[in-house]
């Protein structure tokens, strides 16, 4: 009983600052959906922390081309030129007021949080694979198999290369697609893992952004349809079905529709799973402040519940980070393999 009282006392002391902060904000309604959506959206600055109305953030360069004058502007979120403003109805994107009073989206080449996160992931990937390449340059085929970090990377590469790409596409056609599919797998994996870090340089919701998943799915769409053989297109426009189904045409329309639904499924699957994971983690984080705003008793209970759920969700997201990268790569390889009907016929 004494130990339980001591633990409760320690929890009260540990979370006292949060309780004071919640009491200061008691007049403001805690809007959890708004907070979650704000953190999931892209931004022109990298927010790190907030305390008593003060915000610590890293300003990112905003690069705009005016639709009015054609002039280029280089600024930050705190120094927007006259005529430009952040449109909250368009998820905080920069808009420009035209001479006739209307608003228009200017050419925006800004380095946003998601763009910076992608650059960080690219730098990590270059560091990982260049360090592995240096090891292979110093050793020949007669050397022992690599161990440690290089061995782990080789195991992961060979697993995706042999068990996913080669087996799904076929030995005759897999080689031109292996570099792309390996790049996609490691980009999604590293982006997912870095996005789970709660502080800079992590935390951005890159694969939970539908623009990013659309681009990845579009690349797979091009790989499937630009290099599909004659049998692939024959099965779309003149499949082996009764003639009345082709003459109407019912089956060709369904097959042609499937050309677009495959990459669409890739896009939505990755986007929805990653966005949902980030949203749940952010929601349980907000529950901590919600509990303290309701009192110390609710604060202690909800804090303990939220911490346990946050630990569980972060552990689950580590698994999801790998699974989503694996599934996207596997399905892309399967769809590419279906575009080479000689392998499919075998």
């Amino acid at each position: 009983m004494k130990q339980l009282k001591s633990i409760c006392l320690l929890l009260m002391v540990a979370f006292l600052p949060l309780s004071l902060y919640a009491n200061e904000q008691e007049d403001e309604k805690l809007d959890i959906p708004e907070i979650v959506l704000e953190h999931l959206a892209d931004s022109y600055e990298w927010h790190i922390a907030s305390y008593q109305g003060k915000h610590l953030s890293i300003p990112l360069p905003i690069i705009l081309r005016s639709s009015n004058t054609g002039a280029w502007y280089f600024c930050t979120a705190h120094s927007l030129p006259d005529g430009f403003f952040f449109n909250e109805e368009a998820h905080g994107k920069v808009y420009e007021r035209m001479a006739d009073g209307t608003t228009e989206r200017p050419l925006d080449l800004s380095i946003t949080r998601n763009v910076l996160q992608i650059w960080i992931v690219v730098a990590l990937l270059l560091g990982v694979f260049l360090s592995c390449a240096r090891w292979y340059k110093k050793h020949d085929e007669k050397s022992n198999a690599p161990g440690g970090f290089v061995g782990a990377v080789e195991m992961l590469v060979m697993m995706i290369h042999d068990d996913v790409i080669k087996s799904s596409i076929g030995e005759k056609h897999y080689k031109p697609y292996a570099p792309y599919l390996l790049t996609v797998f490691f980009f999604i994996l590293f982006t997912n893992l870095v996005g789970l870090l709660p502080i800079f340089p992590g935390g951005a919701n890159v694969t939970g952004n539908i623009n990013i998943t659309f681009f990845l799915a579009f690349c797979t769409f091009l790989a499937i349809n630009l290099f599909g053989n004659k049998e692939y297109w024959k099965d779309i426009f003149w499949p082996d079905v009764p003639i009345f189904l082709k003459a109407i045409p019912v089956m060709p329309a369904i097959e042609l529709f499937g050309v677009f639904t495959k990459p669409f499924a890739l896009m939505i699957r990755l986007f929805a799973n990653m966005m949902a994971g980030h949203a749940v983690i952010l929601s349980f984080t907000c529950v901590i402040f919600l509990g303290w705003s309701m009192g110390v008793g609710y604060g202690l209970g909800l804090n303990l519940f939220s911490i346990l759920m946050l630990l569980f969700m972060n552990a689950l997201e580590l698994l999801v980070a790998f699974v989503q990268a694996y599934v996207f790569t596997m399905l892309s390889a399967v769809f590419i393999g279906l575009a080479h009907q000689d392998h499919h016929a075998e």
Side-chain angles (χ1 to χ4, degrees):
M1 191 66 179
K2 291 182 179 179
Q3 292 178 348
L4 180 60
K5 290 181 179 179
S6 300
I7 293 173
C8 292
L9 182 61
L10 287 173
L11 288 172
M12 290 177 64
V13 173
F15 291 109
L16 182 60
L18 288 176
S19 179
L20 295 174
Y21 176 74
N23 290 333
E24 290 176 0
Q25 304 296 324
E26 61 182 357
D27 295 331
E28 301 180 8
K29 184 178 179 181
L30 186 63
D31 192 345
I32 294 180
E34 181 181 354
I35 294 173
V36 172
L37 291 176
E38 180 182 353
H39 283 77
L40 290 177
D42 201 2
S43 177
Y44 293 100
E45 60 182 10
W46 201 303
H47 182 266
I48 297 177
S50 297
Y51 181 70
Q52 294 184 346
K54 297 180 180 180
H55 303 283
L56 176 62
S57 60
I58 301 174
L60 301 175
I62 298 177
I63 307 171
L64 304 170
R65 185 181 184 275
S66 173
S67 300
N68 269 325
T69 63
W72 287 92
Y73 294 94
F74 298 85
C75 57
T76 65
H78 305 289
S79 60
L80 274 182
D82 294 335
F84 295 92
F85 67 98
F86 295 108
N87 190 345
E88 297 300 331
E89 295 181 356
H91 306 288
K93 297 297 183 182
V94 174
Y95 273 70
E96 181 180 8
R97 293 186 179 90
M98 309 302 291
D100 58 359
T102 60
T103 61
E104 187 175 324
R105 184 92 163 91
L107 179 61
D108 190 350
L109 302 179
S110 305
I111 301 174
T112 61
R113 181 173 57 181
N114 284 347
V115 173
L116 182 58
Q117 183 77 94
I118 291 173
W119 289 2
I120 292 172
V121 170
V122 170
L124 288 174
L125 288 173
L126 288 174
V128 168
F129 288 103
L130 288 178
S131 63
C132 294
R134 283 196 296 269
W135 187 93
Y136 286 103
K137 285 183 178 180
K138 297 178 181 178
H139 300 79
D140 54 23
E141 63 276 5
K142 297 180 181 179
S143 303
N144 294 328
F149 177 75
V150 178
V153 173
E154 179 184 322
M155 177 193 67
L156 196 56
V157 169
M158 296 310 297
M159 180 192 73
I160 300 300
H161 182 273
D162 295 341
D163 299 339
V164 177
I165 300 173
K166 189 174 180 180
S167 62
S168 298
I169 301 177
E171 293 188 6
K172 293 182 180 179
H173 308 287
Y174 82 94
K175 289 185 179 179
Y177 304 102
Y180 162 69
L181 292 172
L182 284 169
T183 301
V184 166
F185 172 79
F186 283 101
F187 173 78
I188 296 175
L189 177 62
F190 274 61
T191 302
N192 292 346
L193 293 176
V194 173
L196 291 176
L197 298 176
I199 58 174
F200 181 83
N205 185 37
V206 175
T207 47
N209 186 316
I210 199 166
N211 297 309
I212 304 299
T213 59
F214 168 79
F215 177 76
L216 294 173
F218 182 71
C219 291
T220 298
F221 172 80
L222 294 179
I224 296 170
N225 296 285
L226 289 183
F227 306 104
N229 59 17
K230 294 180 180 179
E231 291 296 323
Y232 168 70
W233 291 108
K234 175 185 174 296
D235 283 351
I236 291 176
F237 294 105
W238 200 254
D240 294 328
V241 294
I243 190 66
F244 70 90
L245 292 177
K246 293 184 285 188
I248 296 178
V250 176
M251 290 304 299
I254 295 174
E255 292 292 338
L256 186 61
F257 184 68
V259 170
F260 300 96
T261 56
K262 291 173 184 176
F264 181 79
L266 289 176
M267 175 186 71
I268 294 299
R269 179 183 287 105
L270 180 59
F271 159 72
N273 279 281
M274 299 314 301
M275 186 192 68
H278 280 262
V280 171
I281 291 174
L282 288 169
S283 298
F284 280 120
T285 304
C286 291
V287 168
I288 296 175
F289 296 95
L290 179 63
W292 284 114
S293 66
M294 299 168 63
V296 176
Y298 285 104
L300 290 174
L302 290 177
N303 265 272
L304 180 59
F305 171 76
S306 298
I307 289 171
L308 292 175
M309 291 304 299
L310 283 172
L311 290 174
F312 170 76
M313 285 303 304
N314 276 279
L316 182 62
E317 282 297 298
L318 286 174
L319 176 62
V320 171
F322 174 82
V323 169
Q324 289 305 313
Y326 181 87
V327 169
F328 190 99
T329 307
M330 180 188 67
L331 291 179
S332 296
V334 169
F335 295 153
I336 292 172
L338 292 175
H340 299 277
Q341 295 298 326
D342 52 344
H343 166 67
H344 180 64
E346 293 173 2

